[in-house]
C-alpha cells in the first residue's frame, strides 16, 4: 500500500511540472522581445511530464 501512494506522489509532481511548463511555454510564445531566447524547451519538458504522469497513473491504478 505504501508503494501505491508513492506513485500518486509522482503523478502529482508530474502534473505540477506539466502545468507549469505549459504556462511557461505560453509565456514564451507571447513574448514581445523576440531576441530574448530561453534555454529550456518547455514543450518537450511538458510532454515528458505528461508521459511520466500517464505511466505513474497506470502503475498506481494497477496496484
Amino acid at each position: 500500500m505504501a508503494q501505491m501512494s508513492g506513485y500518486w506522489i509522482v503523478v502529482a509532481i508530474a502534473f505540477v511540472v506539466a502545468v507549469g511548463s505549459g504556462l511557461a511555454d505560453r509565456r514564451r510564445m507571447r513574448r514581445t522581445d523576440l531576441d530574448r531566447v530561453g534555454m529550456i524547451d518547455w514543450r518537450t519538458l511538458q510532454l515528458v511530464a505528461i508521459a511520466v504522469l500517464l505511466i505513474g497513473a497506470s502503475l498506481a491504478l494497477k496496484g
Side-chain angles (χ1 to χ4, degrees):
M1 191 70 162
Q3 182 68 21
M4 193 164 105
S5 65
Y7 287 130
W8 287 115
I9 292 171
V10 169
V11 168
I13 292 171
F15 178 76
V16 169
V17 170
V19 170
S21 60
L23 291 173
D25 187 48
R26 180 179 184 274
R27 182 175 171 217
R28 183 186 66 85
M29 294 297 290
R30 296 174 52 90
R31 69 181 184 266
T32 55
D33 186 8
L34 296 178
D35 290 332
R36 291 188 59 203
V37 296
M39 293 180 59
I40 298 176
D41 185 12
W42 293 110
R43 195 165 295 154
T44 302
L45 182 63
Q46 184 180 22
L47 290 175
V48 169
I50 290 171
V52 169
L53 187 144
L54 292 174
I55 291 170
S58 66
L59 289 173
L61 291 174
K62 182 180 175 186

